[in-house]
Amino acid sequence: MRTDYCGNITASYIGQTVTLCGWVNKRRDLGGLIFIDLRDREGIVQVMFDPDLPEVQAIANTLRSEFCVKVTGTVRARPEGQVNAQMATGEIEIIGTGLEIFNKSAVLPLDWNQENSEEQRLRYRYLDLRRPLMSQRLQFRAKVTAAVRRYLEGDGFLDIETPILTKATPEGARDYLVPSRTHKGEFFALPQSPQLFKQLLMMSGMDRYYQIVKCFRDEDLRADRQPEFTQIDLETTFLDADGVMSITEGLIRDLFQQMLDVDLGDFPRMTYAEAMQRYGSDKPDLRNPLELTDVADLLASVDFKVFSGPANDLKGRVATIRVPGGASLSRKQIDEYTKFVGIYGAKGLAWIKVNDVAAGLDGLQSPILKFLNEEIVNGILARTGAQDGDILLFGADSYTVVTEAMGALRLKLGEDFELLEGEWRPLWVVDFPMFEEVDGQLHALHHPFTSPRGMTPEELAADPVNAISDAYDMVLNGVELGGGSVRIHDQSMQSAVFSILGIDKEEAELKFGFLLEALRFGAPPHAGLAFGLDRLVMLMTGASSIRDVMAFPKTTTAACPLTDAPSPANPQQLADLAIATVKKDSAE
């Protein structure tokens, strides 16, 4: 039907007759000469219809945006002065000698020249995806997945599918449940990840597994979350953390080199403790030079309980951020930053403007200076490296509140003051705590199948709070690209972890009996990692949301405007499943 794609027609085609199919991107009538920009997946090419061919001209007169057409014509060089350097096909144009309209288009519900609401874009997603930007992003994504497959298969990995209808696994979110017709009253769960199955594959001797797989989590959504998303999932046997990190770092470096011609270089490593201390985040954006500086020891004795209280509390923290040039901030702007940290539980934001370091206290401006003597102030200035024109912003509260609030403030300040340096800053974050305490109960920081580093089951049971996991996260520009760990391959260690998490033998058998049984039969050491494909492509294409790199995403309320899903089930379907629905009270 066609001889080539529109975007492939270059000067090498001059003199040739081509047949192209696509959509009318734009039509222009210049006093009898009709021009259209014809668009397909690969790009846009200009076509001119000459009045010397009246039959073709008559059809061209009826063309409008998004008409689907076939054009036959001769490729020629554009006249001197009319070359369009902004187009890949800008050196040539096609003199149309044949024109067929496959299908006309109604008036578009989307505006091609202005921003449309996300609801509109998703309602007419098939039109939205025609836009060159969206088409390019999906093509880029396809090339990324192809490159991932080539890399991993070249390194001995096997692409193995795992079940979609399965048993619930603990991944920190609610499960999507699927009722069983043949086992009435019982349910499958859609997998939050293939975690247990990929471990079982290692116990099956598959050695190296990968899968580009759909995962499902029923959780509140945001820019980098969707109820269904895609992972690049992999697992290996007889490799330690360093081995897995080497393979996966090589994969990402290869992707960036191939797709963007970017050399990411060797990835630095940073411990979780250092990341939280310096940046207030376990996925720090290293493009941002701002850091948190702890000053609790300098403020422990001041007669100001806002500082001295947390400074003398083992679970408290007092930290400051030095903002170069920040002394120019108005009181209104500082108040806005105070409201911002309040989102994260902070009760306030103390500050000191550094106008003239050499002038000592007289060169500073702040309502809190009356509580601080010269020795304390000089200590703070020296530790932060404050210079003339800077501002110091302080957070004082529990360790968690200060770390989260000041970490978020650091990111906002970096953007507001345009401080980001460099385009790409990757790193590994390692040495995560094994557990975190929530309301007095210990929870697995990653998942309950993560192995502790260098501990026996007995040592872990005796001191779980200080246990370090053999886990690792890959971070790029403040985004967690992927995370993984060395898995537990010993039944006694797995039982110890379950016990610490408050999972008794009966519950463990009910939820994970098949895994515990598999551990009894010569389970090998194994480790793995999973990347978020959507996040990776979002970063690489410069999109602001993973919805812009997915073909048919959901809204922030986990709905699909295109298909009107979710929707009520057919009564007969519900009867077959022995399910009854409960109507909400209209007053609710």
Side-chain angles (χ1 to χ4, degrees):
M1 188 175 287
R2 62 184 171 195
T3 59
D4 212 324
Y5 286 103
C6 296
N8 293 344
I9 308 302
T10 62
S12 64
Y13 282 73
I14 290 174
Q16 296 183 33
T17 298
V18 296
T19 299
L20 306 174
C21 298
W23 288 266
V24 176
N25 196 66
K26 185 185 296 184
R27 174 186 176 275
R28 304 180 299 282
D29 189 337
L30 304 180
L33 290 178
I34 297 175
F35 291 85
I36 66 167
D37 289 341
L38 187 63
R39 186 193 72 244
D40 64 14
R41 189 187 79 180
E42 297 300 320
I44 296 175
V45 69
Q46 179 172 286
V47 182
M48 186 192 81
F49 297 100
D50 195 298
D52 290 342
L53 297 172
E55 292 183 3
V56 176
Q57 183 84 342
I59 300 173
N61 262 317
T62 68
L63 296 179
R64 296 294 183 270
S65 292
E66 296 309 301
F67 276 31
C68 186
V69 302
K70 179 171 75 171
V71 170
T72 298
T74 303
V75 182
R76 76 173 186 184
R78 289 201 190 190
E80 188 175 350
Q82 295 183 22
V83 171
N84 186 345
Q86 304 302 314
M87 293 175 63
T89 62
E91 292 183 286
I92 58 90
E93 63 184 1
I94 296 170
I95 306 303
T97 56
L99 175 61
E100 178 183 350
I101 297 176
F102 289 131
N103 221 326
K104 296 181 179 181
S105 173
V107 176
L108 296 177
L110 295 182
D111 189 329
W112 242 237
N113 299 311
Q114 299 179 18
E115 290 293 321
N116 298 285
S117 70
E118 185 172 68
E119 186 78 14
Q120 286 175 298
R121 290 178 58 204
L122 296 184
R123 168 68 180 83
Y124 299 100
R125 189 62 162 182
Y126 45 87
L127 295 179
D128 188 46
L129 292 178
R130 287 186 193 173
R131 294 190 299 127
L133 177 63
M134 292 302 296
S135 176
Q136 289 160 14
R137 284 173 175 168
L138 289 191
Q139 290 180 62
F140 186 94
R141 179 182 176 125
K143 292 174 182 176
V144 166
T145 58
V148 168
R149 292 184 188 281
R150 286 194 301 269
Y151 184 93
L152 292 176
E153 287 168 8
D155 207 6
F157 284 80
L158 303 177
D159 183 359
I160 305 175
E161 294 180 350
T162 52
I164 294 298
L165 296 176
T166 183
K167 193 178 181 72
T169 57
E171 298 289 339
R174 290 178 293 272
D175 292 302
Y176 279 101
L177 299 179
V178 179
S180 170
R181 179 184 60 82
T182 53
H183 301 275
K184 288 182 171 55
E186 298 183 351
F187 297 82
F188 294 103
L190 300 183
Q192 295 188 35
S193 85
Q195 181 62 47
L196 297 184
F197 285 105
K198 67 181 182 180
Q199 289 189 240
L200 291 173
L201 285 170
M202 295 305 97
M203 299 174 197
S204 305
M206 294 299 102
D207 195 68
R208 292 191 175 194
Y209 140 96
Y210 89 95
Q211 187 181 185
I212 298 178
V213 60
K214 280 288 187 184
C215 302
F216 306 86
R217 296 183 185 181
D218 184 6
E219 57 188 349
D220 295 331
L221 306 185
R222 58 190 185 201
D224 59 349
R225 284 184 179 173
Q226 279 281 291
E228 52 180 318
F229 57 96
T230 306
Q231 281 188 180
I232 304 169
D233 200 51
L234 59 92
E235 197 80 7
T236 67
T237 51
F238 309 116
L239 275 185
D240 57 14
D242 288 337
V244 174
M245 292 165 75
S246 176
I247 288 173
T248 51
E249 180 176 323
L251 168 61
I252 297 302
R253 289 180 61 180
D254 183 72
L255 275 179
F256 271 76
Q257 192 72 62
Q258 279 192 57
M259 305 297 297
L260 300 178
D261 195 24
V262 168
D263 183 1
L264 292 177
D266 294 330
F267 292 15
R269 296 189 185 189
M270 181 181 297
T271 66
Y272 169 88
E274 181 183 357
M276 298 300 285
Q277 207 71 14
R278 293 174 60 187
Y279 303 110
S281 171
D282 61 359
K283 48 181 185 295
D285 187 347
L286 297 187
R287 297 173 301 164
N288 184 341
L290 300 181
E291 295 191 18
L292 280 61
T293 302
D294 284 289
V295 290
D297 58 314
L298 300 175
L299 297 167
S301 61
V302 299
D303 189 21
F304 184 42
K305 289 186 178 180
V306 169
F307 281 165
S308 61
N312 288 287
D313 185 345
L314 292 177
K315 294 186 177 181
R317 185 177 188 185
V318 184
T320 183
I321 298 175
R322 177 178 74 86
V323 186
S328 62
L329 288 173
S330 67
R331 185 56 188 265
K332 180 181 178 181
Q333 289 173 308
I334 294 174
D335 288 344
E336 288 174 354
Y337 285 123
T338 302
K339 290 180 182 178
F340 175 79
V341 295
I343 297 171
Y344 300 89
K347 301 179 182 67
L349 187 66
W351 53 272
I352 298 176
K353 289 187 177 183
V354 183
N355 299 318
D356 184 357
V357 174
L361 289 176
D362 292 336
L364 307 178
Q365 177 186 351
S366 172
I368 66 170
L369 287 174
K370 60 188 175 184
F371 300 110
L372 311 177
N373 60 40
E374 189 169 5
E375 180 182 358
I376 291 173
V377 170
N378 287 339
I380 292 173
L381 295 179
R383 186 171 296 181
T384 59
Q387 300 176 19
D388 294 352
D390 294 349
I391 191 171
L392 301 176
L393 301 173
F394 295 82
D397 208 306
S398 69
Y399 181 89
T400 299
V401 167
V402 170
T403 301
E404 290 184 0
M406 298 299 279
L409 179 62
R410 169 185 172 268
L411 294 177
K412 183 168 177 56
L413 289 166
E415 293 179 358
D416 291 352
F417 282 79
E418 299 181 348
L419 298 175
L420 302 190
E421 303 168 346
E423 188 174 7
W424 303 106
R425 293 293 302 274
L427 80 154
W428 286 105
V429 177
V430 297
D431 293 352
F432 287 84
M434 193 64 183
F435 306 102
E436 60 180 343
E437 186 175 336
V438 179
D439 297 329
Q441 173 65 44
L442 291 180
H443 297 263
L445 193 65
H446 278 80
H447 55 64
F449 316 109
T450 298
S451 178
R453 177 175 295 158
M455 299 182 81
T456 65
E458 293 75 22
E459 290 169 337
L460 179 67
D463 189 17
V465 174
N466 292 312
I468 298 297
S469 67
D470 208 352
Y472 33 84
D473 280 1
M474 183 188 289
V475 177
L476 181 63
N477 292 1
V479 175
E480 180 192 330
L481 285 186
S485 66
V486 174
R487 321 302 188 188
I488 295 170
H489 68 279
D490 176 76
Q491 190 182 38
S492 60
M493 179 64 79
Q494 189 64 75
S495 296
V497 169
F498 284 160
S499 178
I500 291 167
L501 296 175
I503 301 174
D504 59 29
K505 289 184 178 180
E506 183 177 347
E507 184 181 0
E509 185 63 33
L510 178 66
K511 291 182 175 180
F512 315 110
F514 59 97
L515 176 70
L516 293 174
E517 185 174 36
L519 290 173
R520 296 173 51 224
F521 300 106
H526 55 287
L529 183 143
F531 289 110
L533 175 63
D534 311 296
R535 290 184 185 181
L536 176 61
V537 176
M538 177 185 74
L539 275 180
M540 296 180 78
T541 60
S544 59
S545 164
I546 63 171
R547 291 189 289 277
D548 283 336
V549 296
M550 303 171 79
F552 300 104
K554 306 294 188 292
T555 65
T556 52
T557 59
C560 176
L562 174 64
T563 61
D564 196 28
S567 57
N570 182 291
Q572 185 57 53
Q573 289 177 307
L574 293 177
D576 290 343
L577 295 167
I579 290 178
T581 58
V582 178
K583 291 185 178 180
K584 286 188 176 181
D585 190 321
S586 58
E588 287 184 5

